[in-house]
Amino acid sequence: MANRRERLREQTYQEIITTARQQIAQRGAAALSLRAIAREMGMTAPALYRYFENRDALVTALIVIAYQSLRDHLEDTRQENAGQDYITQLTAVGIAYREWALAHAEDYALIFGTPIPEYKAPEQATLPIARSSLGVLIRILQEGWEAGEFILPEDPPALASVLLAVQPDFRASAPVPVTAIALWSLVHGLVSLELFNHFAVLLQDPAELFEMQLENQLKILTGRS
């Protein structure tokens, strides 16, 4: 059990994160300021620096939290649909991706939007968690392929080997990660267009287009196109 000092430190840490997220929502990630956060919390800047040594460290923590939230939402959806066929699982995970993005617009913009000036994400801290959400998709595709439910296209071996090399714990067959990237690109592209208001004057219901395109793409995997 955590002692009082540890509990207070954790409470302060969470308050910093919450205040930073509010600041991003109001002013954008590029305007994130440790001094402004400290001022709003009634702390001195040196006291806040005991939690985050600089702005970039705070941004990195926010990015990791956002990716964890996305990964957990997708994995929870996969678990909830574990007894269904694999197309149903993929459909549910695709829809969950859109739902998470719409419910966490600031987090989505932080990890997928305009890069923050002069910030470079440390790969060791951010790449594994970033790839873990893709791992949910890869797991379903791999299991569905092994079960004979999916017909996956043969892919360029060089491309597949690169994808498998950067995330060896996927333990996926060569066609799987490339197919996962293609599916994610479709889902991500449609979600980004919607979230950044590019559909505003074109569509009354972006969800209808999203679900139609996802269904059409998944039909290809089963040979029912």
Side-chain angles (χ1 to χ4, degrees):
M1 180 179 295
N3 60 37
R4 187 171 186 276
R5 176 178 294 181
E6 290 170 339
R7 292 197 303 272
L8 288 173
R9 180 173 178 81
E10 177 61 21
Q11 289 171 5
T12 303
Y13 176 90
Q14 293 300 331
E15 186 178 355
I16 294 169
I17 294 296
T18 299
T19 306
R21 289 163 64 94
Q22 292 170 347
Q23 193 178 101
I24 290 175
Q26 294 167 0
R27 307 172 195 168
L32 192 65
S33 165
L34 289 183
R35 289 188 177 277
I37 292 170
R39 188 164 53 248
E40 186 169 339
M41 292 177 58
M43 296 175 64
T44 63
L48 192 144
Y49 286 125
R50 289 199 288 268
Y51 292 85
F52 297 99
E53 61 180 344
N54 51 40
R55 181 208 66 167
D56 287 3
L58 176 55
V59 170
T60 298
L62 291 168
I63 288 173
V64 170
I65 290 170
Y67 273 122
Q68 287 174 335
S69 174
L70 172 59
R71 187 269 318 277
D72 291 348
H73 185 62
L74 298 183
E75 179 59 27
D76 287 347
T77 300
R78 187 186 76 85
Q79 293 287 348
E80 289 167 5
N81 290 273
Q84 306 295 323
D85 61 74
Y86 293 104
I87 283 291
T88 299
Q89 292 183 41
L90 284 178
T91 301
V93 167
I95 291 172
Y97 187 96
R98 176 177 176 270
E99 290 173 344
W100 182 89
L102 295 179
H104 301 82
E106 289 81 17
D107 287 334
Y108 186 91
L110 179 65
I111 58 180
F112 295 126
T114 304
I116 301 172
E118 300 180 4
Y119 172 77
K120 181 175 174 56
E123 293 185 357
Q124 187 174 3
T126 57
L127 278 184
I129 188 63
R131 291 172 180 147
S132 66
S133 57
L134 185 65
V136 177
L137 180 59
I138 284 179
R139 190 174 299 113
I140 298 172
L141 283 168
Q142 181 70 28
E143 292 177 1
W145 191 39
E146 291 174 352
E149 188 168 330
F150 299 146
I151 303 171
L152 302 187
E154 293 299 325
D155 302 294
L159 177 58
S161 64
V162 168
L163 291 172
L164 292 172
V166 298
Q167 193 74 14
D169 58 326
F170 282 162
R171 307 194 189 288
S173 305
V176 173
V178 182
T179 303
I181 290 287
L183 280 174
W184 172 75
S185 298
L186 171 73
V187 169
H188 178 73
L190 290 169
V191 167
S192 294
L193 287 169
E194 178 181 2
L195 198 62
F196 299 129
N197 295 319
H198 296 295
F199 284 152
V201 298
L202 301 172
L203 295 171
Q204 289 185 335
D205 184 11
E208 185 177 0
L209 174 66
F210 180 88
E211 293 175 11
M212 180 183 71
Q213 291 301 315
L214 180 60
E215 180 183 1
N216 289 342
Q217 190 65 32
L218 293 181
K219 283 180 180 178
I220 296 174
L221 293 180
T222 59
R224 296 199 300 264
S225 58

